[in-house]
Amino acid sequence: MFTKSCQYAIRAVIYMTEQKESLKNIGVKEMADSLQVPQQFLAKILQQLSKHNLISSVKGPNGGFYISEANGKVTLLDIVECIDGKAALSSCILGMPKCDSEHPCPLHHHFYGSREGLKTTLSSCEIGEMLNGKLC
Amino acid sequence: MFTKSCQYAIRAVIYMTEQKESLKNIGVKEMADSLQVPQQFLAKILQQLSKHNLISSVKGPNGGFYISEANGKVTLLDIVECIDGKAALSSCILGMPKCDSEHPCPLHHHFYGSREGLKTTLSSCEIGEMLNGKLC
DNA sequence: CGAATAAAGGATAAAAGTATCCGAAATTCG
DNA sequence: CGAATTTCGGATACTTTTATCCTTTATTCG
């Protein structure tokens, strides 16, 4: 479904929203330890999210990652598309180069609904709302 | 969603059901050409399906792959699980080692439904029925 | 300023998935 | 039988993903 990179990204973001009370920045080390994922690999992923302004970061002592006001509108769909690419949830399920409602692959109609439902669910998960306790 | 191997497998099986009228066996070359996928790679995949008795095959001249009576009950879910593994559609969407309704990951409840729906759709696609024109 | 800290970024290595090559085994047909 | 055909099976190469290593850059604090 999702790549490992993407799973780590989602888990890290959820972890960050759960640590909201502690108003300090969260370091990669802490996250990697808590989530039990490889630290350097997670660092790359967080940097990618940060570079695309989905989360925020500060360098130096007491630095780390945090969720800014502007990041509040970011959704889980944004996270997924940033890490796995837009095609991950939109390209043909059978890998056909051209597949849409007019030129559908044999399974197009059977899976279009659940794919769209998935995207709807992901796009309804805003980081800002997750900070307030409600996940989706 | 599915690996390329799995996409090829599904497409090949669908192709075979569409060629039912021509009562001859279907060779890898014909399928690879029609589906525009690498022939040797497709061969491996078909061999794997054949070894697990999801499709049937005969060697030699005029040989190839075919769908036996017994293969009629095989579903697309069987195909997917044979190629991508059972975990592909059943393991935690966030990759957590233990994730079930009692110890759910943060997204478990949000995606359990659509995952099960996906599996239900796939398991309702029997090869035998596809031979008769109805895909799912 | 200088040392310590933590993200950023480049390079490399390991693992998994994708793809190709080639010979062996089985079957058909002349 | 012998040649041709086609799946079967092992080995190898290429590509992407996953993971690690190490240096640079920015920031904090004494």
Side-chain angles (χ1 to χ4, degrees):
Chain A
M1 186 72 84
F2 302 133
T3 63
K4 268 194 179 181
S5 298
C6 193
Q7 292 174 343
Y8 294 166
I10 296 172
R11 291 175 59 193
V13 168
I14 291 177
Y15 178 82
M16 289 175 71
T17 64
E18 291 171 344
Q19 305 302 312
K20 182 210 178 186
E21 300 81 33
S22 71
L23 290 163
K24 61 178 176 54
N25 300 318
I26 307 177
V28 174
K29 183 159 177 21
E30 175 189 340
M31 276 193 258
D33 288 348
S34 300
L35 302 176
Q36 302 209 64
V37 302
Q39 177 177 338
Q40 306 269 37
F41 190 47
L42 180 62
K44 296 286 186 195
I45 295 164
L46 292 172
Q47 284 162 24
Q48 192 173 344
L49 294 179
S50 176
K51 188 158 66 175
H52 288 80
N53 301 310
L54 300 184
I55 62 176
S56 306
S57 67
V58 285
K59 293 183 181 178
N62 304 318
F65 296 90
Y66 67 100
I67 294 169
S68 73
E69 197 75 23
N71 299 142
K73 288 294 180 189
V74 172
T75 69
L76 285 187
L77 182 62
D78 296 322
I79 305 290
V80 171
E81 289 183 339
C82 177
I83 302 296
D84 279 356
K86 293 221 173 200
L89 288 174
S90 299
S91 61
C92 174
I93 198 169
L94 290 185
M96 308 290 286
K98 291 179 184 173
C99 172
D100 52 41
S101 56
E102 302 197 353
H103 302 285
C105 78
L107 295 185
H108 183 81
H109 296 307
H110 298 84
F111 292 99
Y112 185 77
S114 45
R115 281 285 283 284
E116 288 303 307
L118 189 69
K119 285 160 74 173
T120 301
T121 302
L122 288 172
S123 64
S124 70
C125 288
E126 283 187 8
I127 291 184
E129 297 195 2
M130 290 162 65
L131 284 173
N132 299 328
K134 32 184 174 176
L135 184 50
C136 288
Chain B
M1 187 72 82
F2 302 133
T3 63
K4 268 193 179 182
S5 298
C6 192
Q7 293 175 342
Y8 294 166
I10 295 172
R11 290 176 58 192
V13 168
I14 291 176
Y15 179 82
M16 289 175 72
T17 65
E18 290 171 345
Q19 305 301 313
K20 181 210 178 184
E21 299 80 34
S22 71
L23 290 163
K24 62 177 173 55
N25 300 318
I26 307 176
V28 174
K29 182 160 176 23
E30 177 188 339
M31 276 193 258
D33 287 349
S34 299
L35 303 176
Q36 302 210 63
V37 302
Q39 177 178 336
Q40 306 270 36
F41 190 47
L42 180 62
K44 297 286 186 196
I45 295 164
L46 293 172
Q47 284 161 25
Q48 192 173 343
L49 295 178
S50 176
K51 187 156 67 176
H52 288 81
N53 301 310
L54 300 184
I55 62 176
S56 306
S57 67
V58 285
K59 292 182 180 177
N62 303 317
F65 295 89
Y66 68 100
I67 294 169
S68 73
E69 197 76 23
N71 299 143
K73 288 294 179 190
V74 172
T75 70
L76 285 187
L77 183 62
D78 296 322
I79 305 290
V80 171
E81 289 184 339
C82 178
I83 302 296
D84 279 356
K86 292 221 174 200
L89 287 174
S90 298
S91 60
C92 174
I93 198 170
L94 289 185
M96 309 290 287
K98 292 179 185 175
C99 172
D100 52 41
S101 56
E102 303 198 352
H103 302 284
C105 78
L107 296 186
H108 183 81
H109 296 307
H110 297 85
F111 292 99
Y112 184 78
S114 45
R115 281 285 284 283
E116 289 303 306
L118 189 68
K119 284 160 75 173
T120 300
T121 303
L122 288 171
S123 64
S124 70
C125 287
E126 283 187 7
I127 291 185
E129 295 196 3
M130 290 162 67
L131 284 173
N132 299 327
K134 31 183 171 177
L135 184 52
C136 288

